Amino acid sequence: MRMSELSRMSGVPVATIKYYLREGLLPQGQATAVNQADYGELHLRRLRLVRALIGVRGLSVSETKEILAGVSEHASDMHEVLGLVLGARPVDKEAPPPAKEAFDEVDELLKEVGWQISDHAPAKQVIAEGLTTLRSLGMDVGWRTLLPYAELAGRCAALDLDQLRDTDDPLERAERAVVLTVLLEPVLLALRRLAQEDESARRHRA
């Protein structure tokens, strides 16, 4: 397909597609003339993924480029792909620096549930930041409070990875891992909000 068709099918303006091509977020098309190229299903799929990472998840162009480069390079190693993806998150500049005690509690939690987690996993800092913030507001929250949530999260993770079995194509599996780990998060959070509303209605309404 020509770039105009790629733009129409993806809903992404031609100027934005050209920008993504210059930045290396999309592979170059197959040249057919000096200023023309053909694009295929791979370009359409990758373009939709780029827009989702930048527009929906809020990642920067450089973060998105790093993820996609890792996906292409390590497509056959799903654990490596997931490691790259899980390391990407927008920086929360408003969060207070976590206390050392909070990091120690995160380690206690991980030890209790028996998870195999790298020492530098960014999610550990997110949890430590959350514990620090909650305590600054007078909440008595510790790692034991998080234990039942961690057990639920473990079951969710099993469901996530089960969905990677549907295709044998390494690149497609890697891209699907990006979708499940990065883009599904807001949906899961929204489901939690709905479940909280329902639980409140059941408990507090006559």
Side-chain angles (χ1 to χ4, degrees), residues 45-59:
R45 193 174 70 204
R46 179 59 63 90
L47 182 56
R48 288 170 173 165
L49 181 59
V50 168
R51 290 291 281 176
L53 289 172
I54 294 175
V56 177
R57 193 63 180 89
L59 299 183

Side-chain angles (χ1 to χ4, degrees), residues 70-71 74-86 174 177-178:
V71 164
H74 303 285
S76 61
D77 187 342
M78 186 53 56
H79 187 63
E80 183 71 20
V81 169
L82 287 171
L84 291 166
V85 173
L86 294 174
V178 175

Side-chain angles (χ1 to χ4, degrees), residues 30 154 182 184 196 200:
Q30 183 176 359
V182 179
L184 191 61
Q196 288 171 337
S200 175

Side-chain angles (χ1 to χ4, degrees), residues 44-170:
L44 180 60
R45 193 174 70 204
R46 179 59 63 90
L47 182 56
R48 288 170 173 165
L49 181 59
V50 168
R51 290 291 281 176
L53 289 172
I54 294 175
V56 177
R57 193 63 180 89
L59 299 183
S60 68
V61 170
S62 61
E63 288 169 333
T64 301
K65 185 176 181 179
E66 184 177 351
I67 288 177
L68 295 178
V71 164
S72 298
E73 182 179 354
H74 303 285
S76 61
D77 187 342
M78 186 53 56
H79 187 63
E80 183 71 20
V81 169
L82 287 171
L84 291 166
V85 173
L86 294 174
R89 69 181 182 94
V91 176
D92 184 359
K93 297 182 175 61
E94 302 299 324
K100 180 184 180 301
E101 293 78 8
F103 281 108
D104 292 340
E105 289 208 62
V106 174
D107 289 335
E108 285 291 330
L109 173 64
L110 297 177
K111 180 180 178 181
E112 181 68 21
V113 294
W115 289 356
Q116 303 177 56
I117 305 296
S118 65
D119 292 336
H120 305 292
K124 293 175 64 175
Q125 179 164 340
V126 176
I127 297 173
E129 289 172 354
L131 290 174
T132 301
T133 301
L134 288 167
R135 285 172 181 162
S136 72
L137 297 173
M139 297 288 290
D140 183 18
V141 177
W143 70 267
R144 289 181 177 83
T145 310
L146 299 179
L147 185 57
Y149 292 96
E151 292 169 348
L152 287 172
R155 293 200 287 272
C156 286
L159 289 172
D160 289 340
L161 268 68
D162 283 347
Q163 295 186 58
L164 301 180
R165 299 174 179 175
D166 298 340
T167 176
D168 295 326
D169 180 71

Side-chain angles (χ1 to χ4, degrees), residues 1-3 28-39:
M1 72 184 83
R2 304 288 285 274
M3 184 177 292
Q28 296 294 322
Q30 183 176 359
T32 57
V34 177
N35 294 319
Q36 293 182 356
D38 276 339
Y39 303 90

